Amino acid sequence: MERAIKKWWPVFVLPTLAAFIIGFIIPFIQGVYLAFCQFTTIRDATFTGINNFVRALSDTTFTHAFWYNCAFVFVSTLVINIGGLAVALILTRALRGTNAFRTVFFMPNLIGGIVLGYIWQILLNCVLALLEKPLLMLDATAGFWGLVILMAWQQIGYMMIIYIAGLQSIPETLLEAAEIDGATPWQTFWKVKLPNLMPSITICLFLTITNSFKLFDQNMALTAGQPAHQSELLAYNIYYTFYGRSGPQWKGIGQAKAVVFCLIVVAISLIQLRTTRKKEVQQ
């Protein structure tokens, strides 16, 4: 059996590898090259060096989107992970109807981002109108918190599932030993549950950080970057630069922004993974 598998492994591996190279590697390399070009289509690209990167980094809308996105990532990551862990702790107790509640909390994750954005735009604008406050499209601060609420509502249920799996994998002997030693529920959480949850925390932090940086469709549907690009996240800023501005120079600038964006997300994700995995080793 093993000899047959070794003989036929190219039949199973090569199609997937070819699809990965054609669908990801080649477009990625081509995209990096185009970041150094001025173009309207791929076939008329003219190499211009680092000019696109200089213009991209000097674009005030891009720098504003970066800091706006960083603040959004920080707040949404805290809210989603604290909320997801809190719900997981509640739903791992011996309570009636926990399976139904898990389903209810997870369901928002199944709804598309565009649909969620428009639904929450209507709901939040109605609330702000009743409070006589500026609407989401008229106030960048209101748009920021609208995005946080939307992202939390959609993602908390997904992180809850991961945290529940982590809590259920903790050996009962550890919890029983803590109870015998007279540990309070709070001490049990900090000294036993939280250290053993570090693998789940690593996964959830990685997902929330990357998802918050890549957020696009909800941003487009909820605020569309208004007012005056003040509520643009990085992904939407790149989209607007590439498709919303006329002139061949903006294609290259948008591509350069995309490369910078990719490097930022990869760097931050690797730092986060390295930091949290060190905690796992120390357990």
Side-chain angles (χ1 to χ4, degrees), residues 6-17:
K6 290 179 180 179
K7 181 180 179 180
W8 292 100
W9 71 266
V11 176
F12 302 101
V13 174
L14 291 178
T16 303
L17 181 61

Side-chain angles (χ1 to χ4, degrees), residues 260-276:
V260 173
F261 173 62
C262 178
L263 293 174
I264 290 171
V265 175
V266 169
I268 292 175
S269 299
L270 290 176
I271 292 170
Q272 175 265 310
L273 287 172
R274 184 179 178 85
T275 302
T276 51

Side-chain angles (χ1 to χ4, degrees), residues 88 92 102 158-170 196-197 200:
T92 48
R102 291 178 189 180
Y158 188 83
M159 303 307 153
M160 171 202 71
I161 297 297
I162 298 174
Y163 282 125
I164 286 175
L167 288 168
Q168 291 177 337
S169 68
I170 299 174
N196 284 278
L197 275 176
S200 298

Side-chain angles (χ1 to χ4, degrees), residues 48-248:
T48 59
I50 63 170
N51 182 57
N52 289 334
F53 289 92
V54 173
R55 295 192 62 180
L57 295 174
S58 62
D59 185 351
T60 55
T61 64
F62 185 63
T63 54
H64 173 79
F66 170 74
W67 293 113
Y68 192 81
N69 209 150
C70 286
F72 173 74
V73 169
F74 178 77
V75 175
S76 62
T77 299
L78 283 179
V79 171
I80 291 169
N81 282 279
I82 292 173
L85 181 55
V87 174
L89 288 168
I90 294 171
L91 296 183
T92 48
R93 295 181 179 181
L95 301 174
R96 294 181 62 183
T98 54
N99 289 334
F101 282 112
R102 291 178 189 180
T103 303
V104 169
F105 277 106
F106 183 77
M107 283 180 65
N109 190 71
L110 304 177
I111 305 174
I114 292 289
V115 176
L116 278 180
Y118 285 121
I119 290 172
W120 277 95
Q121 183 192 99
I122 295 170
L123 292 174
L124 293 173
N125 280 338
C126 289
V127 172
L128 291 171
L130 291 173
L131 297 174
E132 297 183 352
K133 300 290 185 180
L135 302 182
L136 294 173
M137 311 272 293
L138 301 176
D139 186 352
T141 302
F144 177 89
W145 290 110
L147 286 168
V148 170
I149 293 170
L150 188 159
M151 188 72 169
W153 189 75
Q154 184 182 30
Q155 294 290 320
I156 281 177
Y158 188 83
M159 303 307 153
M160 171 202 71
I161 297 297
I162 298 174
Y163 282 125
I164 286 175
L167 288 168
Q168 291 177 337
S169 68
I170 299 174
E172 286 293 332
T173 53
L174 293 178
L175 300 175
E176 291 171 0
E179 186 178 356
I180 292 171
D181 289 340
T184 64
W186 189 247
Q187 290 172 328
T188 302
F189 171 75
W190 279 106
K191 301 297 183 180
V192 180
K193 291 183 179 180
L194 196 61
N196 284 278
L197 275 176
M198 281 310 301
S200 298
I201 292 173
T202 297
I203 295 170
C204 289
L205 285 177
F206 175 79
L207 290 174
T208 48
I209 289 172
T210 53
N211 287 340
S212 297
F213 265 115
K214 296 186 299 179
L215 195 71
F216 168 74
D217 42 2
Q218 292 93 328
N219 188 197
M220 181 174 67
L222 194 68
T223 69
Q226 299 300 319
H229 306 287
Q230 293 301 300
S231 65
E232 278 183 351
L233 299 178
L234 281 171
Y236 188 77
N237 180 267
I238 293 167
Y239 165 82
Y240 180 80
T241 302
F242 202 94
Y243 293 105
R245 294 184 174 182
S246 59

